[in-house]
Each structure stands twice: as C-alpha cells, then as structure tokens.
Amino acid sequence: MPQDEGSQRDIAPQGPADEPPQAVPPLPLAHGPLNDADAAELRALKQQIQSTVGFYCEGYKEKCLRRRIAVRMRARGVHTYAQYAKLLASDAAEYSLLVDTLTINVSKFYRNPEVWEMLSRHVLPELVERPDPEIRIWSAGSASGEEAYSAAIMVQEYARENDVDPDRFRILGTDIDRDSLAFAERAEYTDFAMTDIDPDLRERWFDHDGTYRLRPEARRNVRFATLDLIRDEHPREQHLIFCRNVIIYFERAIQEQLFQQFHDALVPGGYLVLGKVEALFGSQSGLFRTVASRQRIFRRA
Ligand SMILES: C[S@@+](CC[C@H](N)C(=O)[O-])C[C@H]1O[C@@H](n2cnc3c(N)ncnc32)[C@H](O)[C@@H]1O
C-alpha cells in the first residue's frame, strides 16, 4: 500500500509533553480472521454505509477497508462493528470522517516527476500531431486537484515552448470525494503539495503568500466533477487518462473492470498512466501495450 499504512490519521493522540507517552490502543478487528458474529456485523455495517452515504464498500479490498474502519473505531473508542454502526447512526459527522479515512486523498504536484518528464517528451508531441481539434486529459481519482493541475501546467509549458495553442487541451479531474473536489476548486495549496515540483515551475505558476495559489492561466481549461469510478459512467474520447494511486485500493475484479473501461474511454492509441505500484494484469493487459514500464505509461492497443 502506498501512503496508506503510515497515514497520519493512524497516529494515537499524544499526552502533554511532560507525561510519559500513552500506549497506542490496538486497532479493533483490523487484522486476522473474523468470527461469524463479527463478520455478520461487518456485512451489516457495509450495507449501512452504502445505503446512507452511497459509498460502495464491496469494491474495496477487505483488508484495506477493515483497517481504515478500525482507525475510526479506535478514534471513537468503540470495539465492535455493531457499536460503530450505532454510533454512525446517531452522528452524521462521523460518516464524513469515515469517508475521508476510506478514500485517503494524499496527492502532490508533479508526483513521480519522471512520469511528467516522459509525458512531456514523448506523449504530448504525439498527441499534438493528431488532427483532433481538442485533446482531452482525464485525472480519474484527482483528489484535491494536484494531478489535474500538474497536467494543466505541463501542457501550458509545452504549448509555450512548441508554439501550440494551449486551449486545445481540456482537462477533467474527477473524484468520489466532494470535499477534495471543493478543495481542488479553490486551488490553494500548502508546502506539502509542492515537494516534487521543480522550483522554477512553482515560481512561474503559483502566487505565494503563506499558501500557494495557482495562477488563473493554469486553471482555465480545467474542470472538476464528482464521479464514482466503480459505479458511474466514464467520460469518452479521452486522449490521456491518469488513474494513479486509486485502483490499488480496489478488489481485483474491480481493477479488471476498470482497465476495460479505461480502454473504452480512450481514443485509439490514447494513453493510460497508472501509479508507481500499480500494474495491468490478466487478460486486460492485452488491451494496452507498454510505453514506459517504470513510469507506468500504457497505450491503448
Ligand atoms: C491517493 S489519492 C490519488 C490522487 C492522485 N491520483 C495522485 O496519485 O496523486 C486517491 C483518490 O482516489 C479517490 N477514490 C477512492 N475511491 C474512488 C472511487 N470509487 N471513485 C473515484 N475516486 C475514488 C479518493 O477519494 C482519493 O482522492
């Protein structure tokens, strides 16, 4: 799991500095087999989450889901799924905290810089040569917008250097998490989001006064929308799809379904970029050919 296991959400509360550190309470029911009663309670809890907030738990890896639910259970001091279900029913704010925990939305500008380098050098030149009047880029699982806006900066830079009209590019960022998308719309970021971006690009594209505010030229061809990758219809006719650090959390069958959907969402010869620890597998790997294996860039066959 990438940034999952060490998430800051999993840190036990600290006592005052002069007190000895508190022992971290164990994560309830996070690991190991469940007895029949706990398994039934977990099924009921998933059902309740799904019917109340529409979050489709079944698509996610059970191990991952249990660990995340356990983090919230520990935070609220409950020890069984039934107790947690009851707490959720009486505390709507807890649903929002739970969904935040389940969807982990850490991102950065130019995350894995070598990927962006490869895209600028080898993928954009090919895309701009096409006769298509519009070039569509989709950041699927865009979290708070860093990936979609990195794509916007990349194409603006490319357009300037190569005398291409930047308005040919249309960038869509989608996510299941509305709060993240609201953050993306504000386009204001902290130092953390800036750790991977080249300082020259950062200077050119952000105003800095405590926070980093993305300049309007980089925002004008980007829009955001809510979309559940597992259950909603996907956009079509895309030229480049980013889906990084999202499918890692999904069950294998869902991953396979998504590879097929990404294939169908791309124009022939369109590109798919996965996260550093994600891979195409099974029959779905025949749908794409590898362009750059280390950078996880694939092309619709
Ligand atoms: C770790 S972030 C990845 C952000 C960005 N792609 C990157 O690599 O920096 C994972 C994102 O996937 C989103 N996500 C999780 N399940 C999803 C689903 N079923 N549909 C759409 N987005 C989902 C989360 O809300 C979160 O914002």
Side-chain angles (χ1 to χ4, degrees):
M1 196 74 37
Q3 64 281 30
D4 177 22
E5 300 299 332
S7 163
Q8 72 274 28
R9 294 185 177 94
D10 198 10
I11 295 169
Q14 296 294 304
D18 53 353
E19 281 180 13
Q22 296 168 2
V24 181
L27 284 173
L29 302 173
H31 310 285
L34 294 176
N35 65 33
D36 290 350
D38 289 332
E41 287 183 9
L42 178 59
R43 276 197 300 279
L45 174 63
K46 287 191 202 169
Q47 194 55 49
Q48 177 178 329
I49 296 168
Q50 198 166 314
S51 57
T52 313
V53 286
F55 187 90
Y56 182 62
C57 296
E58 296 303 338
Y60 293 77
K61 288 179 182 159
E62 175 108 351
K63 194 171 144 223
C64 207
L65 202 74
R66 273 178 58 191
R67 187 178 161 80
R68 305 277 181 77
I69 292 173
V71 168
R72 289 308 311 155
M73 285 169 63
R74 180 172 71 186
R76 300 300 305 266
V78 298
H79 303 283
T80 69
Y81 292 126
Q83 286 168 345
Y84 187 59
K86 206 163 153 199
L87 191 152
L88 277 171
S90 65
D91 180 353
E94 180 59 28
Y95 272 116
S96 154
L97 291 167
L98 174 65
V99 171
D100 268 3
T101 308
L102 292 174
T103 54
I104 281 278
N105 40 30
V106 179
S107 190
K108 284 174 177 198
F109 281 87
Y110 278 72
R111 186 176 198 172
N112 308 126
E114 67 283 5
V115 173
W116 300 91
E117 168 85 17
M118 181 65 89
L119 292 172
S120 302
R121 277 176 190 269
H122 300 285
V123 172
L124 289 186
E126 194 276 320
L127 290 179
V128 297
E129 282 307 311
R130 292 179 179 229
D132 314 8
E134 250 185 24
I135 300 170
R136 284 174 289 273
I137 300 178
W138 175 27
S139 163
S142 60
S144 28
E146 293 86 337
E147 188 174 76
Y149 288 138
S150 299
I153 293 172
M154 172 181 75
V155 301
Q156 288 281 347
E157 288 282 320
Y158 184 85
R160 184 171 57 84
E161 284 160 16
N162 295 279
D163 202 19
V164 171
D165 176 9
D167 291 334
R168 263 183 86 192
F169 293 94
R170 289 278 174 270
I171 298 163
L172 170 68
T174 65
D175 203 281
I176 194 174
D177 181 359
R178 286 173 201 276
D179 292 344
S180 287
L181 293 173
F183 195 101
E185 300 277 7
R186 284 200 297 278
E188 277 188 33
Y189 296 91
T190 61
D191 291 341
F192 176 80
M194 297 294 153
T195 44
D196 284 359
I197 189 171
D198 178 286
D200 289 341
L201 288 181
R202 192 187 61 209
E203 292 306 304
R204 259 207 298 287
W205 293 101
F206 294 86
D207 293 314
H208 186 213
D209 53 2
T211 59
Y212 290 90
R213 259 176 303 110
L214 186 64
R215 299 213 168 111
E217 311 89 276
R219 299 176 59 177
R220 68 166 193 261
N221 294 332
V222 184
R223 68 182 182 87
F224 292 96
T226 317
L227 186 144
D228 179 346
L229 281 169
I230 300 176
R231 299 204 299 176
D232 293 338
E233 204 174 309
H234 290 190
R236 312 294 287 191
E237 299 287 306
Q238 301 299 307
H239 293 79
L240 169 60
I241 298 177
F242 292 88
C243 188
R244 303 194 304 161
N245 309 302
V246 181
I247 63 163
I248 184 86
Y249 303 118
F250 296 156
E251 289 290 353
R252 194 182 163 97
I254 299 288
Q255 295 189 9
E256 291 198 17
Q257 169 197 313
L258 285 173
F259 294 146
Q260 180 67 54
Q261 287 177 290
F262 290 146
H263 172 273
D264 298 344
L266 284 167
V267 297
Y271 295 87
L272 171 68
V273 187
L274 298 179
K276 214 170 173 57
V277 295
E278 295 163 333
L280 288 168
F281 52 77
S283 56
Q284 264 60 15
S285 54
L287 299 173
F288 295 90
R289 56 181 190 73
T290 304
V291 173
S293 58
R294 207 162 54 81
Q295 289 84 353
R296 301 289 194 269
I297 302 176
F298 306 90
R299 192 164 190 199
R300 181 180 151 162

